[in-house]
Amino acid sequence: MATKPWSAYGIDQDSATAEEFKYVYHVAHLEDAIRIIEDGVIRASLVFDDSILKNTRTCVSWVSPNTWSPGSIYGNVAFAFRWKDIVKGKRIYWVEDPKTNRQQIVRLLLSEGKFSDYKLERYHAEKSRGPLVCNLDPKRWYFNAQLTNEYMVLQDLPLEKCRAINFWKHHDRYCSKEKVGCPYLGKSQKIVGARFLGLYLGGGRVNYTSRFSRVDNTEEIDESVDEAISHLYWGIISKFQRHSGARFNMEEGRAIIRSIFLAYGLKKKRLHTLVNMFHSEEALRTALKTEIGSVFKDFDIGICS
Ligand SMILES: [Zn+2]
């Protein structure tokens, strides 16, 4: 059999580097993640990376099964999808295997029909022995976890299909978006997650709250989200010094709480002024817990227990 471009990465289910392939993640930076929430969809975009497809007009959504312990190079907010939902009914093509000084990447493309923007070789997960394997009976997928596996999906990914949204640490030194000076380098899931939740809660369109669950248990809140909620809560409480003398009714109080969340998410100085409109720290705590508790009502969250 002729050697294929993927032969060097071949696994079977018993390989030490094989991991069962259940979920893929689209990981984004804070601003992009908020836009995804506002749009309700991860929009496919032109391939502008160091890819052989960069001069085509191909639009893709990027996903990967990798979860990195040193942190993600793609940002802090992860949108998880079931792999079988993504791959269902699609053709798989081998794209390329670029190598950087720190990682070996393999890229495959998923297309609903024939892909003709560029000449690519079909990849058959049941028989092409490479970094992606599909066993039949029972049907199980595996990927080579030693590699950076990047999948280019030729479609938008609507959030209705999203299984979970949670927060990851950003890698200390590397970023795939900003080659230099990414402001999120090394930022923890808790810090950026709290800002994300500030923008989410303050924005008032909270239609995806059920997605803040664990990826493997949709009844339970994801730990990274619960920690980010606490960080947001205590971060706001810490700004309370003394009552500014402002007076407001309950309805105005809710509007102030939303403005507080937004100011936190945007790192605005007015956060301090808004927080001190409450007549006591106790009143502020109650208002925060009421607002957060009502949005996250289907989950047990730390600050409300
Ligand atoms: Zn970055």
Side-chain angles (χ1 to χ4, degrees):
M1 205 169 77
T3 309
K4 294 290 189 183
W6 52 76
S7 299
Y9 315 111
I11 51 160
D12 60 34
Q13 66 177 84
D14 299 321
S15 305
T17 60
E19 218 169 90
E20 195 174 348
F21 197 165
K22 290 185 175 171
Y23 306 106
V24 283
Y25 304 90
H26 175 88
V27 186
H29 286 79
L30 177 67
E31 295 77 8
D32 296 333
I34 286 295
R35 207 188 53 236
I36 289 169
I37 292 283
E38 284 168 357
D39 294 350
V41 64
I42 295 166
R43 290 201 194 287
S45 55
L46 286 171
V47 179
F48 52 81
D49 218 333
D50 54 345
S51 170
I52 54 170
L53 301 182
K54 71 177 174 194
N55 294 325
T56 64
R57 302 295 294 167
T58 309
C59 284
V60 304
S61 302
W62 295 87
V63 291
S64 170
N66 294 102
T67 54
W68 297 110
S69 50
S72 167
I73 60 167
Y74 307 106
N76 294 91
V77 186
F79 297 86
F81 296 82
R82 273 179 202 272
W83 168 244
K84 61 178 189 192
D85 292 344
I86 298 282
V87 76
K88 194 175 173 192
K90 306 245 179 29
R91 295 179 182 210
I92 305 173
Y93 291 89
W94 174 261
V95 182
E96 58 201 341
D97 55 344
K99 189 175 167 62
T100 70
N101 52 13
R102 60 180 200 283
Q103 59 180 345
Q104 177 63 60
I105 303 170
V106 290
R107 287 196 186 124
L108 293 97
L109 178 138
L110 304 181
S111 163
E112 221 148 48
K114 184 174 162 46
F115 180 73
S116 50
D117 294 0
Y118 194 94
K119 194 170 162 33
L120 296 177
E121 192 164 355
R122 278 287 289 278
Y123 183 92
H124 298 276
E126 300 84 11
K127 55 183 185 192
S128 306
R129 209 184 131 92
L132 173 68
V133 168
C134 180
N135 288 352
L136 303 169
D137 200 25
K139 190 164 182 171
R140 286 224 175 92
W141 294 84
Y142 297 88
F143 69 98
N144 187 340
Q146 201 172 38
L147 312 165
T148 299
N149 298 264
E150 296 183 335
Y151 287 85
M152 302 156 111
V153 189
L154 279 189
Q155 64 179 185
D156 295 341
L157 303 176
L159 291 193
E160 283 87 67
K161 294 221 173 118
C162 175
R163 166 102 174 162
I165 305 172
N166 41 56
F167 306 125
W168 293 7
K169 177 184 180 281
H170 190 301
H171 195 282
D172 287 336
R173 281 180 296 155
Y174 303 116
C175 175
S176 73
K177 189 183 179 194
E178 311 279 351
K179 299 297 174 209
V180 279
C182 171
Y184 299 105
L185 286 183
K187 286 278 187 293
S188 73
Q189 56 273 46
K190 183 171 74 178
I191 287 173
V192 183
R195 286 190 59 204
F196 177 88
L197 290 175
L199 297 170
Y200 180 77
L201 291 160
R205 289 218 309 262
V206 288
N207 2 1
Y208 297 106
T209 310
S210 64
R211 306 305 200 284
F212 290 107
S213 68
R214 293 167 58 102
V215 69
D216 56 356
N217 178 355
T218 53
E219 309 272 295
E220 236 177 75
I221 193 146
D222 188 75
E223 200 185 342
S224 68
V225 178
D226 203 20
E227 278 177 12
I229 293 173
S230 294
H231 194 73
L232 170 70
Y233 176 78
W234 291 110
I236 292 170
I237 298 289
S238 73
K239 298 283 183 231
F240 186 83
Q241 287 167 321
R242 65 193 172 92
H243 181 38
S244 65
R247 287 177 178 278
F248 51 85
N249 62 30
M250 237 171 89
E251 204 176 312
E252 289 162 335
R254 279 200 79 183
I256 296 168
I257 285 290
R258 291 213 181 129
S259 305
I260 286 175
F261 287 139
L262 275 183
Y264 185 97
L266 296 166
K267 294 216 270 187
K268 293 285 186 195
K269 285 208 182 91
R270 67 171 183 271
L271 174 64
H272 189 266
T273 311
L274 289 164
V275 162
N276 288 284
M277 288 174 79
F278 282 81
H279 66 77
S280 67
E281 188 181 309
E282 197 50 41
L284 175 64
R285 284 178 183 239
T286 305
L288 283 172
K289 281 187 185 173
T290 304
E291 188 64 26
I292 296 171
S294 73
V295 173
F296 285 89
K297 60 182 184 304
D298 297 329
F299 292 120
D300 288 331
I301 54 173
I303 59 152
C304 292
S305 59

